[in-house]
Amino acid sequence: MENNGEAVYKKILIPVSRTTNMKYIMEFVNHFLHEGGKITFLHVTVSNTIPISPGEWRRALNAISTTHMLKGEGSMQVYYAVKNSSSIVTGILDEAWSEGYDLILFANSTYRRHLNHLFGNKIDEVICNSPIETAVISYRDDMPLKYGRILIPISGYKHALRAIKMAELLAKKYGSEITVMYVGTEKDDPRQVITPVTSDLKGNGLKHRAIFRTGPVVETILAEAEKNYDLIAIGATERQQPYNFVTGSTADRLIKKSSCPVLMIKTTSSAQ
């Protein structure tokens, strides 16, 4: 991602594992893609046989069948790939590393969440081992993504940098109001965490407010999200506790339970 005031990516990898409607994802990706940038829809088959069997090939084609008719906006380049690997996670990481992508984006439809159709532990493993930035966006097939009110839960300024930058792009385009939320204990001084974020938003002339809540992290975020927010944007780093914020099961719980779409961005130390 370039750090020139605009959070843009040049090459985005989107793993797909089943048929799904991703027309809204194309619009979403376009907000953060560099002019003339490339996105690739990737399906990984797990097989020790080369070439893969006809049945595995049919499943691969079925997985990308709802994406192959999508067209990029403007100069966006759209590609489709099938990769054979020893595991889904290995296939995704090998593709991301070897082809020079700067973002892995997982897209999940929220209407499928009650069927446990999230990537689950595979997403966790990619997040933990990815050499590049990784994001997860939940969405609803029956409702376009909106950005009027964006909630950004934070635990530290650096943890939220990518979420803030992406929210800023959306806010500038859609006139969004951003709510910065810190969940802590009664002994915490939320100003130490909140002030750097609100100062950044104020400096960019964006509508915003800040709130401090105590309680269980996930449940407290979800309770606030019920108040007619359009998007939750959360950031995470690869640092160990107590510095990391949302990883693994916490992210899955937010994606599964949130009443509105969730965007989680996992950056790397080199991108800080």
Side-chain angles (χ1 to χ4, degrees):
M1 177 184 282
E2 297 180 352
N3 189 19
N4 59 359
E6 292 189 359
V8 293
Y9 299 96
K10 294 181 179 179
K11 294 182 69 177
I12 298 177
L13 179 65
I14 306 178
V16 292
S17 64
R18 61 189 60 84
T19 56
T20 186
N21 187 343
M22 302 191 76
K23 60 182 179 180
Y24 301 134
I25 298 304
M26 293 290 285
E27 178 183 338
F28 173 80
V29 167
N30 195 52
H31 295 314
F32 312 108
L33 191 67
H34 191 276
E35 181 70 22
K38 169 183 175 181
I39 68 171
T40 299
F41 292 100
L42 170 71
H43 176 79
V44 178
T45 64
V46 180
S47 174
N48 294 321
T49 304
I50 299 177
I52 62 176
S53 70
E56 290 166 333
W57 182 249
R58 285 193 296 271
R59 284 190 290 272
L61 293 180
N62 187 53
I64 64 172
S65 64
T66 55
T67 66
H68 78 283
M69 295 301 291
L70 296 174
K71 296 181 179 180
E73 299 181 25
S75 58
M76 178 194 296
Q77 303 175 64
V78 183
Y79 296 87
Y80 315 91
V82 175
K83 190 179 188 72
N84 185 39
S85 182
S86 59
S87 75
I88 291 176
V89 172
T90 299
I92 293 171
L93 295 177
D94 284 349
E95 175 73 13
W97 179 263
S98 63
E99 297 301 322
Y101 292 91
D102 47 22
L103 177 70
I104 301 172
L105 174 66
F106 290 96
N108 294 288
S109 172
T110 56
Y111 90 93
R112 295 178 182 269
R113 59 188 170 191
H114 65 284
L115 299 175
N116 293 320
H117 276 179
L118 293 178
F119 284 81
N121 61 349
K122 295 181 179 64
I123 255 189
D124 295 344
E125 194 173 343
V126 171
I127 289 172
C128 290
N129 295 286
S130 176
I132 64 174
E133 290 192 359
T134 307
V136 184
I137 177 71
S138 71
Y139 67 100
R140 289 181 55 177
D141 285 283
D142 60 344
M143 184 178 297
L145 286 165
K146 298 186 297 182
Y147 312 104
R149 300 186 69 215
I150 302 174
L151 177 64
I152 306 180
I154 61 171
S155 65
Y157 181 55
K158 289 187 176 181
H159 309 152
L161 276 175
R162 289 300 191 253
I164 293 167
K165 292 301 181 184
M166 296 178 88
E168 285 179 352
L169 282 180
L170 295 172
K172 289 176 181 177
K173 183 171 183 178
Y174 295 97
S176 314
E177 178 186 71
I178 296 175
T179 296
V180 179
M181 179 181 187
Y182 176 61
V183 181
T185 69
E186 294 180 355
K187 296 180 180 180
D188 292 337
D189 180 2
R191 293 172 298 181
Q192 295 181 359
V193 177
I194 290 176
T195 300
V197 181
T198 54
S199 296
D200 184 72
L201 295 173
K202 183 178 180 180
N204 283 285
L206 300 174
K207 293 185 291 184
H208 67 278
R209 67 188 186 106
I211 57 176
F212 170 59
R213 298 287 187 269
T214 60
V217 173
V218 174
E219 289 74 14
T220 305
I221 294 172
L222 293 174
E224 179 65 26
E226 291 287 341
K227 302 175 183 178
N228 298 317
Y229 285 92
D230 298 306
L231 180 71
I232 300 174
I234 54 180
T237 71
E238 65 181 14
R239 294 174 177 174
Q240 300 299 312
Q241 292 285 1
Y243 298 102
N244 67 334
F245 178 42
V246 180
T247 57
S249 61
T250 301
D252 267 3
R253 288 169 64 196
L254 282 173
I255 292 172
K256 289 179 179 179
K257 296 182 178 181
S258 174
S259 59
C260 67
V262 178
L263 170 65
M264 190 206 75
I265 308 101
K266 166 67 164 51
T267 190
T268 61
S269 292
S270 60
Q272 294 293 335

